[in-house]
Amino acid sequence: MPAWQPLLDWWFGSASSAAEVAAQRSGLWFGYSDSQDDEARRRFGDQVEQALAGGLQDWADDAQGWLALILLLDQLPRMIGRNTPKAFAGDARAQQLVRQGLARDMERQLDSIRQVFVYLVLEHTEDLPTQNQAVERFRALRDAQPEGEREPFDGFLDFAVRHQQVIARFGRFPHRNAILGRPSSAAEQVYLDEPGSGF
């Protein structure tokens, strides 16, 4: 078994269709649970630290390993380091890894629900051209799904558009300001006071 397989099995589960995977795993992916964060830390914390330190680069030679390394850099730090600067510590390397892989069309070797977590790295950037690319990728991914499988991908596209709009408006994600020690502008503070302003 490849070293990355336990992480992929945990993250995606065993359901067959994209809609079933999303239904079963969305609580893990997008929910906030101390027990889930603790499990991520206990099971994969050492691999996250290795990835953040620049290790496990050989994983990127295989499409599934590439995806697992992306998860270690982009998704798991947001769980293990929730509400601390460490949540974003892997972003720069994840972005580089995704750019390199997309240039080689590596995402085409992944099924649709796994491609989502490649494109989420683009969605996490504080850069408008990259946000525009994320929206384009999520729209194309949604449009490529059979009619009965589109619902979760509609949601992924909606969130991509919402992230893009925030970056177009502010040039950064205001909800990160407090965590990263950045002062918020008056306009950002008005936005932050609105219900549902964070992601």
Side-chain angles (χ1 to χ4, degrees), residues 149-184:
E149 290 281 318
R150 284 192 174 183
E151 184 176 354
F153 295 92
D154 284 333
F156 299 139
L157 174 58
D158 177 64
F159 267 86
V161 170
R162 288 169 58 189
H163 281 71
Q164 176 199 44
Q165 290 171 341
V166 172
I167 296 301
R169 183 175 172 187
F170 299 111
R172 62 184 185 174
F173 292 118
H175 63 276
R176 295 184 185 177
N177 290 349
I179 296 171
L180 296 176
R182 306 187 303 205
S184 294

Side-chain angles (χ1 to χ4, degrees), residues 16 32 44 88 92 109 114 132 137 149 161 172 174 189:
S16 55
Y32 301 98
F44 306 109
F88 313 110
Q109 300 176 49
R114 297 186 180 215
N132 294 340
R137 294 273 184 171
E149 290 281 318
V161 170
R172 62 184 185 174
Q189 192 57 57

Side-chain angles (χ1 to χ4, degrees), residues 1-193:
M1 177 187 296
W4 58 75
Q5 195 60 51
L7 172 58
L8 296 182
D9 290 345
W10 180 67
W11 196 253
F12 294 103
S14 58
S16 55
S17 74
E20 290 171 337
V21 173
Q24 291 181 9
R25 308 311 282 175
S26 60
L28 172 64
W29 299 341
F30 306 120
Y32 301 98
S33 161
D34 288 342
S35 63
Q36 290 181 167
D37 292 354
D38 289 344
E39 184 179 6
R41 186 178 299 107
R42 176 176 54 81
R43 295 187 61 184
F44 306 109
D46 289 347
Q47 289 180 336
V48 169
E49 292 302 325
Q50 287 179 271
L52 291 175
L56 307 179
Q57 190 60 44
D58 59 311
W59 288 22
D61 295 334
D62 179 280
Q64 300 294 334
W66 174 64
L67 172 62
L69 186 53
I70 289 168
L71 293 175
L72 291 177
L73 291 165
D74 182 70
Q75 291 292 325
L76 269 69
R78 284 169 162 77
M79 301 176 74
I80 294 171
R82 194 179 300 281
N83 297 320
T84 74
K86 189 170 183 177
F88 313 110
D91 283 16
R93 185 161 180 237
Q95 291 159 20
Q96 180 183 31
L97 195 64
V98 166
R99 285 194 297 270
Q100 291 169 343
L102 291 178
R104 296 164 56 194
D105 294 326
M106 288 186 72
E107 81 283 4
R108 295 185 182 179
Q109 300 176 49
L110 305 173
D111 62 32
S112 295
I113 200 66
R114 297 186 180 215
Q115 290 181 42
V116 167
F117 291 91
V118 175
Y119 303 151
L120 277 177
V121 174
L122 307 177
E123 186 178 308
H124 286 158
T125 63
E126 294 184 312
D127 173 73
L128 186 55
T130 306
Q131 288 289 330
N132 294 340
Q133 183 183 6
V135 170
E136 291 170 3
R137 294 273 184 171
F138 275 112
R139 181 170 287 116
L141 189 62
R142 189 275 313 272
D143 291 348
Q145 304 310 307
E147 195 65 38
E149 290 281 318
R150 284 192 174 183
E151 184 176 354
F153 295 92
D154 284 333
F156 299 139
L157 174 58
D158 177 64
F159 267 86
V161 170
R162 288 169 58 189
H163 281 71
Q164 176 199 44
Q165 290 171 341
V166 172
I167 296 301
R169 183 175 172 187
F170 299 111
R172 62 184 185 174
F173 292 118
H175 63 276
R176 295 184 185 177
N177 290 349
I179 296 171
L180 296 176
R182 306 187 303 205
S184 294
S185 68
E188 286 176 332
Q189 192 57 57
V190 169
Y191 165 76
L192 289 169
D193 290 339

